[in-house]
Amino acid sequence: MRTLMGLKQAAMQTLQHSKNDLPYAATGLLGELVHCGESRASELAAHRVVDASVVSRQVSQLEQAGLITRRPDPRDRRVALLRATPEGEQALARIERRRAEWLSEALRDWDENEIRHLAGLLDTCVTDIRRAVVPEHHDEPRAEPAAAHPGDGPEPPAQKGTR
């Protein structure tokens, strides 16, 4: 896991092509707003398993860049609802396209079944780690890895040195 996290960090730094790009964490927050919709900052912090002050800094960065906006929550006007702007949606689309192109090139020697199998294992890993870290996810059912071939069980692990 340490190696994977280190590679993730190195990859994200590699993909930060210009000084105008958002920090990786702020990009993640923008992605949540684009893909999951309008949210309170406290909900984003809970979902990302970070302190509210971390989300607050990222919200400021995204607001200053014109990528998100806030409005009062009609149910509780003391709280703001955050939403991606059209510019934020376009910026995220560019970033995600660049990441997908990079990852596609990095994994060019993998076949589709290997990628699907890895995706299933990673989904299961995320679910299990989230259940261990976030108490309210403790009763969440464990995700089963996707089969490499429809109807098949999980493939055995690759031989050492093949990946």
Side-chain angles (χ1 to χ4, degrees), residues 14 17 36 41 58 61 94 99 103 120-121 124 127 150 153 158 160:
T14 299
H17 290 296
C36 299
Q58 294 167 359
Q61 291 171 329
R94 283 190 304 273
R99 287 179 182 170
L103 190 57
L121 290 171
T124 302
T127 298
K160 186 174 181 174

Side-chain angles (χ1 to χ4, degrees), residues 27-104:
T27 302
L29 189 83
L30 177 60
E32 288 206 33
L33 289 171
V34 168
H35 296 297
C36 299
E38 191 171 60
S39 295
R40 292 177 170 196
S42 60
E43 294 168 340
L44 292 167
H47 186 258
R48 296 178 66 81
V49 193
V50 297
D51 188 74
S53 64
V54 172
V55 168
S56 179
R57 282 190 300 276
Q58 294 167 359
V59 164
S60 293
Q61 291 171 329
L62 292 168
E63 266 188 312
Q64 289 174 2
L67 302 177
I68 67 169
T69 187
R70 68 173 75 213
R71 71 178 179 94
D73 184 336
R75 291 175 288 160
D76 182 350
R77 301 199 58 81
R78 298 170 295 171
V79 178
L81 292 173
L82 305 169
R83 166 188 303 193
T85 63
E87 294 81 10
E89 292 174 5
Q90 292 167 2
L92 183 68
R94 283 190 304 273
I95 291 166
E96 288 180 342
R97 189 171 39 256
R98 195 166 58 223
R99 287 179 182 170
E101 289 167 356
W102 179 86
L103 190 57
S104 181

